[in-house]
Amino acid sequence: MEIHLSAIGPVSLVIIGVVAILIFGPKKLPELGKAMGSTLREFRQATKGLADDEDDKKKVIEHKDNDNVK
């Protein structure tokens, strides 16, 4: 079962927004948005660091393989 992002239309977004306001209140929503944004930013930085480490390991392995071929 596939769910595409296009399945979420404007009406669905409005309903989600209304439910969020009812649950958290209008004063807490900006704080939640800011916290979520900083969390996503930190997650991206962490995963970028992991990807960079993985690339470095591949380069070291390739370099060792090239040295052994000579």
Side-chain angles (χ1 to χ4, degrees):
M1 179 177 181
E2 288 186 38
I3 298 175
H4 294 282
L5 193 57
S6 62
I8 299 176
V11 175
S12 299
L13 292 175
V14 169
I15 292 172
I16 291 170
V18 169
V19 170
I21 289 173
L22 290 174
I23 293 173
F24 299 111
K27 292 182 181 179
K28 287 283 185 180
L29 284 180
E31 295 173 20
L32 290 171
K34 183 178 178 182
M36 191 169 194
S38 63
T39 301
L40 286 173
R41 192 175 313 112
E42 290 177 20
F43 179 75
R44 278 192 219 140
Q45 290 174 351
T47 55
K48 183 178 184 241
L50 291 174
D52 291 344
D53 291 344
E54 188 70 26
D55 289 342
D56 291 342
K57 288 179 185 177
K58 286 181 183 177
K59 287 179 184 176
V60 168
I61 291 170
E62 289 174 0
H63 183 68
K64 287 181 181 179
D65 289 342
N66 289 340
D67 288 343
N68 291 335
V69 171
K70 292 180 182 178

